[in-house]
């Protein structure tokens, strides 16, 4: 019975993972085994540590905002009558169902270095144009903003499902006890949603850390590498600079970071499951 | 098309005599004997650019009884690079493939030597520049031949009217169509003149659009500037030479030029400069005539004022940024002889002339006898706008990061070290010495083998 699963794991997980590890231990021309040389080389590069910092800032900031916006919007949707909820859910999910490479192109036009629609509006109200993608800080803001725009609906729909699963009796009991809005949120809603929040954050963290398309389309890592994340830098090194082993090493560096985050989050969920 | 398995030994025996006596001898003439050939060409952006090539390939295939399969692979999203990387790993795929500028060097060991083809082509079409040897010849062998489609020069394309009005330069008089350049005027077309003109056009509200991002147009523009000042980041032997007076001189120059460029040039990609010129905002960009071709379609009034001419001269000469494509044959190909025959067929003067015409003059052949086609003289409006686009005597075809060993140069190029140095000491506010120190550290990292 387990054979199909074993085959799936071996072919779709084991082989690619081992091949990546193998590739990361080869020299640039892939002719010689060099052990951890690619990793030690990366550790000595200023750009690598800049990419590490940027990836962390990008993923953490984006996930925090996606979670906050998703949480708020889920409440807004939850609080409207059930009859009209479907159309709102559908509309709010639109950013998430459009392929990100396509929607990011539209954002690129909005942020276009020379013909930004945002700048056109700003200039219309007498505000100086912003160098959205040419200034490192604004460029970071832009890639995070687009990621939040794309990812927040996922949080919204997950949180909405969690909210619907909270028994109404708990709120009624809290109301009888005299709990106000904040106390209901803090003592009823959040504890009941903790697991779904943790899982959603974990999944989103993994996906956001590995993000490629938004950064690639919007800034291609620029200006001066200051918006690169692991995936775009790995592509730059591995494919564009034809250094596949180094690109593989950069990609693999995401693994321990995400593994540690996954261990902590899943352990927390597991503990609460046992307590329950 | 019906085929049978191609027997290379039998074919060689049967055609040996013919192939030694004729440069472009037919590949094979027996029915159903020549097997299958899979080719991956670069997907030309000019509408109709692929059709001419397809027609020529099909004619060749019909004549030589080869079953040919052609894929046009776009460079958009680096699909061509991904294809090369995948086929190189898999040791399977197309027999013959288009390789962008740096890739013959990178895949040299996996490519079939084509010295015999190159010898014939040089004999028929004239010599190639040292730059082509630098990019296409490795370990003493040609590993790929210059491909016409996609090969381009990225010299200035300027506005005739704005140059006259604001900079006081008559670019048509300086580089006329159908006649040699005006000696006095072209001699005075230096990077210093360029700077003065940039300042005047900026003041008049029509800045030059020189990108300083990480894509090829930006890197190539800087390559021409660095080259014309003799500013090498790494020398031909692989020594890091970035900390030189010439490099400092270029960075000083760029500190003066950047304030006259649009403030967002650090985020520009290869489309930004085209848009800048076509919109009518800019007085000059450095690009092949794609911007002019788009303007001809979408903004005729702008197109009528565009003129392509050579780059300014620096202390070391007039460096023209050239970005060539190559065609190579994988060693794993099962039909190398057919691939070589096709290479010869689509590199004849008449074939190249058709390709240049189909590309509206965009493609620049690498061979010295193939730079005189009427397309460049006749294209317009204005008539002769491309006359000075192909290389002329006295110009040096160059590429950014030359003369570093190609594998190091490719990384300098793709990681846009030159534009990043400029960005650091202009937009980033760092000192020139700090930008050079950063570059030296990056270059050290490129020395890995």
């Amino acid at each position: 019975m387990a054979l199909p699963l074993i085959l799936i794991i071996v072919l779709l997980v084991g082989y690619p993972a081992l091949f990546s590890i193998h590739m990361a231990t080869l020299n640039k021309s892939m002719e010689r085994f060099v052990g951890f040389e690619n990793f030690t080389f990366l550790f000595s590069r200023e750009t690598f540590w800049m990419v590490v910092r940027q990836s962390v800032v990008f993923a953490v900031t984006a996930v925090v905002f996606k979670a906050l916006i998703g949480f708020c919007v889920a409440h807004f949707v939850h609080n409207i009558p059930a009859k009209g909820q479907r159309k709102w859910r559908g509309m709010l999910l639109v950013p998430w169902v459009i392929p990100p490479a396509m929607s990011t192109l539209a954002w690129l036009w909005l942020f276009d270095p020379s013909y930004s629609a945002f700048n056109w509006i700003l200039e219309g109200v007498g505000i100086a144009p912003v160098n959205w993608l040419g200034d490192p800080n604004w460029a970071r803001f832009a890639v995070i903003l687009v990621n939040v725009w794309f990812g927040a609906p996922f949080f919204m729909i997950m949180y909405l499902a969690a909210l619907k699963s909270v028994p109404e009796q708990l709120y009624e009991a809290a109301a009888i006890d005299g709990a106000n809005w904040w106390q209901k949120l803090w003592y009823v809603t959040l504890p009941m949603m903790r697991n779904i929040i943790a899982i959603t954050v974990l999944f989103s963290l993994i996906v956001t850390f590995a993000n490629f398309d938004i950064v690639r389309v919007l800034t291609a890592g620029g200006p001066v590498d200051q918006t690169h994340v692991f995936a775009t830098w790995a592509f730059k090194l591995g494919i564009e600079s034809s250094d596949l082993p180094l690109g593989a090493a950069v990609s693999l560096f995401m693994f321990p970071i995400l593994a540690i985050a996954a261990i902590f989050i899943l352990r927390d969920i597991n503990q609460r499951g046992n307590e329950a | 098309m019906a085929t049978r398995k191609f027997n290379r030994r039998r074919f060689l025996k049967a055609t040996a005599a013919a192939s030694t006596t004729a440069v472009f001898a037919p590949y094979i003439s027996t029915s159903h004997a020549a097997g299958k050939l899979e080719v991956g060409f670069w997907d030309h952006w000019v509408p109709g650019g692929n059709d001419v090539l397809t027609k020529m390939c099909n004619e060749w295939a019909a004549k030589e009884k080869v079953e040919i399969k052609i894929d046009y692979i776009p460079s958009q999203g680096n699909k061509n690079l991904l294809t090369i990387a995948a086929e190189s790993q898999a040791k399977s795929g197309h027999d013959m493939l288009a390789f962008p500028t740096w890739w013959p060097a990178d895949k040299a060991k996996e490519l079939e030597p084509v010295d015999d083809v190159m010898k014939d082509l040089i004999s028929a079409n004239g010599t190639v520049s040292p730059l082509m040897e630098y990019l296409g010849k490795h370990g003493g062998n040609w590993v790929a031949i210059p491909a016409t489609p996609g090969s381009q020069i990225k010299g200035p394309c300027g506005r005739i009217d704005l140059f006259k009005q604001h900079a006081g330069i008559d670019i048509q008089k300086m580089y006329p169509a159908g006649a040699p350049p005006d000696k006095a005027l072209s001699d005075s077309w230096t990077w210093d003149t360029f700077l003065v003109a940039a300042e005047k056009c900026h003041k008049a509200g029509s800045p030059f659009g020189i990108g300083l991002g990480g894509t090829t147009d930006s890197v190539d523009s800087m390559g021409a500037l660095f080259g014309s000042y003799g500013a090498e980041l790494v020398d031909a032997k692989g020594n890091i030479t970035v900390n030189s007076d010439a490099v400092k001189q270029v960075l000083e120059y760029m500190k003066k030029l950047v304030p006259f460029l649009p403030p967002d040039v650090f985020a520009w990609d290869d489309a930004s400069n085209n848009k800048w010129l076509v919109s009518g905002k800019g007085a000059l960009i450095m690009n092949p005539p794609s911007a002019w071709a788009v303007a001809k379609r979408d903004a005729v009034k702008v197109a009528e004022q565009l003129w392509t001419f050579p780059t300014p001269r620096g202390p070391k000469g007039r460096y023209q940024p050239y970005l060539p494509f190559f065609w190579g044959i994988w060693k794993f190909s099962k039909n190398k002889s057919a691939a070589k025959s096709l290479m010869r067929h689509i590199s004849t003067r008449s074939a190249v002339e058709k390709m240049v015409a189909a590309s509206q003059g965009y493609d620049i052949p690498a061979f010295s006898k193939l730079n005189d086609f009427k397309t460049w003289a006749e294209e317009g409006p204005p008539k002769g706008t491309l006359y000075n686009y192909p290389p002329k005597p006295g110009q040096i075809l160059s590429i950014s990061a030359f003369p570093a060993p190609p594998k190091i140069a490719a990384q300098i190029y793709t990681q846009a070290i030159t534009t990043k140095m400029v960005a650091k000491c202009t937009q980033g506010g760092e000192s020139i010495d700090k930008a050079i120190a950063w570059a030296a550290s990056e270059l050290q990292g490129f020395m890995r083998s």
Side-chain angles (χ1 to χ4, degrees), chain A residues 38 45 113 134 240 242-243, chain B residues 78 106 264 275 427 441 448:
Chain A
N38 287 324
R45 311 310 303 164
E240 292 187 337
S242 193
D243 195 341
Chain B
N78 289 313
D106 191 70
D264 49 16
K275 286 190 275 185
Q427 184 195 41
S441 160
R448 297 166 64 254

Side-chain angles (χ1 to χ4, degrees), chain A residues 114-242:
Chain A
S114 301
Y115 310 99
S116 163
F118 289 142
N119 280 346
W120 182 77
I121 294 168
L122 289 177
E123 283 173 336
V125 294
I127 299 172
V130 175
N131 194 356
W132 296 108
L133 303 179
D135 177 89
N137 291 325
W138 281 114
R140 287 189 194 114
F141 167 80
V143 292
I144 290 171
L145 175 72
V146 176
N147 191 277
V148 171
W149 174 85
F150 172 72
F154 169 71
F155 279 79
M156 183 275 293
I157 207 74
M158 296 294 282
Y159 291 169
L160 189 60
L163 278 173
K164 288 190 181 302
S165 68
V166 179
E168 198 56 36
Q169 296 91 322
L170 292 179
Y171 291 112
E172 287 164 8
I176 291 165
D177 289 344
N180 59 22
W181 175 84
W182 171 252
Q183 285 166 325
K184 282 182 197 167
L185 179 73
W186 190 254
Y187 293 108
V188 178
T189 310
L190 280 176
M192 293 303 289
M193 289 178 68
R194 267 177 76 181
N195 281 0
I196 200 77
I197 289 173
I199 296 259
T200 313
V201 165
L202 174 64
F203 283 172
S204 181
L205 204 58
I206 290 169
V207 172
T208 312
F209 250 106
N211 183 271
F212 175 79
D213 34 22
I214 290 174
V215 175
R216 178 75 192 172
V217 173
L218 212 54
T219 65
V224 198
D225 297 329
Q226 293 188 68
T227 55
H228 265 309
V229 289
F230 283 122
T232 55
W233 202 51
F235 185 79
K236 186 87 185 167
L237 295 176
I239 301 295
E240 292 187 337
S241 296
S242 193

Side-chain angles (χ1 to χ4, degrees), chain A residues 19 27-28 30-32 38 41 45-47 112-115 131 133-135 216 223-225 235-237 239-244 246, chain B residues 78 81-82 85 89 103 106-107 109 214 263-264 266-268 275-276 279 281 407 411 414-415 420 423-424 427 438 441-442 445 448-449:
Chain A
F19 188 71
N27 70 330
K28 185 172 181 287
M30 301 179 68
E31 292 164 327
R32 189 162 46 86
N38 287 324
F41 170 76
R45 311 310 303 164
E46 188 188 322
T47 310
D112 186 283
S114 301
Y115 310 99
N131 194 356
L133 303 179
D135 177 89
R216 178 75 192 172
V224 198
D225 297 329
F235 185 79
K236 186 87 185 167
L237 295 176
I239 301 295
E240 292 187 337
S241 296
S242 193
D243 195 341
L244 285 175
L246 199 61
Chain B
N78 289 313
L81 304 190
L82 289 165
Q89 283 292 299
W103 288 74
D106 191 70
K107 301 298 173 201
K109 287 182 185 169
D264 49 16
F266 300 100
W268 277 21
K275 286 190 275 185
W276 184 250
S279 71
K281 282 187 176 183
K407 286 198 174 187
Q411 295 177 80
T414 52
Q415 299 207 32
K420 285 176 187 169
K424 278 180 176 287
Q427 184 195 41
W438 168 83
S441 160
E442 291 293 304
R448 297 166 64 254
S449 60

Side-chain angles (χ1 to χ4, degrees), chain B residues 229-253:
Chain B
Y229 276 82
E232 297 173 359
L233 273 54
V234 172
D235 69 15
K237 290 178 182 167
N239 302 310
I240 295 172
T241 53
V242 65
N243 193 3
S244 68
D245 289 343
V247 171
K248 287 176 187 168
Q249 203 179 351
V250 170
L251 295 177
E252 288 288 0
Y253 177 89

